[in-house]
Amino acid sequence: MTDWMLIGVRFALYLTLATLFGLSAFSLYGLRAHDRHSAFALRAWLVGSAVLSLIFSGGWIVLMASSMAGTSAWPIDRDAIGALLTGSAIATAWKVRMAALLGAGMAAMLVANRGIWLGIVMLCGAVAIGTLAWTGHGAMDEAASGWLHLGADILHLIASGAWAGALLGLILLVSRPAARVDAAHLQLTHRALHGFGATGTIMVGTIVVTGLVNAWLLIGPGNVLTLGTTLYGRLLLAKLALFVAMLGLASLNRFRLTPSFERSIAAADHRGALRTLRLSLAVESATIVTILALVAWLGTLEPPASAM
């Protein structure tokens, strides 16, 4: 039961940290300064994701300590938590995450006043999501390969979080009730979609390169053909298939649906194009949520290279 609870909390952390970092980053590069607070309830989303990330981080440390000590999660084993939080890389990463989340939460409450606070939220969110690398396989290697693996994991997490958060921002834009959609909001939505197209290419490139590095270190060339014989391998193959599907949807959005949406605005007949965009983004978001669930599960399993 503890293992499934740990997977669930890991999954929840991926979601809330991706929201905190990705949505704040998207609001900086995808929205103009005067549009950030009229596009959607930005401050509420950022404050809420920071608070939830703090709660889930607290739950994670309790479950992790009980798992390592072989005790039940309740009542809370304070001795096990104290031992885990003493002198380990995981403890340092957790403390850094908590501090970053506190900073992000306080800055998020001030984003309506000055734009600099949104930048602080983004930076704190990047630090917070990057610390998740120490809870996975990237912290297990040593020497030069260990630093390479850890660095690749951090970049992979940041790029994935940026993509997931941007999708949330786009869904919030296209899902505004019809009665509140005017010409200004349509133009804002198109600019955000167009801007994400270029930035999304960088995210995808980073995810692909760091994913290849991680695959080389975790799987090894000799285990590629036998991936389907292990649970880890089957989950990884499912993740890869979903990622390819996401690339297809992202390409559809960028090269077909976004230009079609622009033409529909010019023709003053946007409802059909907006509905299609909404559906495509919803499917893409459901796909990335499923991928994050698989990543949370994969992080608790032994990869083929470690079993050799």
Side-chain angles (χ1 to χ4, degrees):
M1 178 63 73
T2 299
D3 287 344
W4 285 110
M5 291 173 63
L6 188 57
I7 292 170
V9 169
R10 283 168 60 89
F11 171 56
L13 263 176
Y14 285 137
L15 284 179
T16 55
L17 289 174
T19 298
L20 178 66
F21 167 67
L23 192 59
S24 58
F26 171 76
S27 299
L28 281 171
Y29 69 76
L31 301 176
R32 295 176 179 175
H34 61 274
D35 291 330
R36 288 172 189 154
H37 307 292
S38 61
F40 44 77
L42 177 60
R43 179 164 57 181
W45 277 99
L46 296 181
V47 172
S49 57
V51 171
L52 287 174
S53 295
L54 282 167
I55 293 172
F56 291 133
S57 290
W60 177 85
I61 203 70
V62 171
L63 293 172
M64 191 67 180
S66 66
S67 177
M68 294 178 68
T71 59
S72 62
W74 186 265
I76 295 175
D77 190 339
R78 291 182 174 81
D79 292 335
I81 294 174
L84 179 60
L85 290 178
T86 303
S88 68
I90 289 178
T92 302
W94 183 82
K95 293 172 184 176
V96 169
R97 186 193 315 148
M98 297 299 277
L101 288 172
L102 286 171
M106 289 187 287
M109 290 187 286
L110 299 171
V111 293
N113 298 329
R114 292 181 61 188
I116 190 173
W117 295 111
L118 185 57
I120 294 174
V121 175
M122 185 192 72
L123 290 175
C124 289
V127 171
I129 198 169
T131 62
L132 292 179
W134 277 266
T135 70
H137 298 116
M140 295 169 60
D141 293 337
E142 298 178 350
S145 64
W147 288 108
L148 174 64
H149 197 173
L150 196 59
D153 254 6
I154 292 171
L155 289 175
H156 198 78
L157 285 163
I158 288 175
S160 301
W163 194 350
L167 283 175
L168 173 60
L170 292 173
I171 284 179
L172 291 174
L173 287 173
V174 302
S175 298
R176 174 174 286 198
R180 297 178 55 209
V181 174
D182 54 16
H185 183 76
L186 291 173
Q187 291 295 336
L188 183 161
T189 302
H190 176 260
R191 287 196 304 270
L193 285 162
H194 183 73
F196 176 65
T199 310
T201 302
I202 299 174
M203 297 175 193
V204 170
T206 303
I207 291 170
V208 170
V209 172
T210 55
L212 289 173
V213 172
N214 286 338
W216 181 273
L217 295 171
L218 289 174
I219 300 170
N223 294 312
V224 172
L225 297 179
T226 59
L227 272 179
T229 63
T230 65
L231 176 59
Y232 184 97
R234 290 191 291 272
L235 293 177
L236 181 60
L237 290 172
K239 175 192 170 186
L240 292 175
L242 289 171
F243 179 70
V244 171
M246 277 194 67
L247 290 182
L249 288 168
S251 298
L252 176 67
N253 289 339
R254 180 176 182 181
F255 298 112
R256 293 290 299 276
L257 300 186
T258 298
S260 176
F261 180 55
E262 182 179 18
R263 291 192 297 270
S264 74
I265 295 175
D269 184 20
H270 64 272
R271 291 182 182 274
L274 191 60
R275 190 182 308 113
T276 303
L277 259 175
R278 189 180 299 131
L279 176 60
S280 178
L281 288 169
V283 173
E284 190 176 347
S285 298
T287 304
I288 201 170
V289 167
T290 306
I291 289 175
L292 292 177
L294 291 175
V295 170
W297 193 353
L298 283 165
T300 65
L301 302 174
E302 185 179 34
S306 300
M308 293 177 63

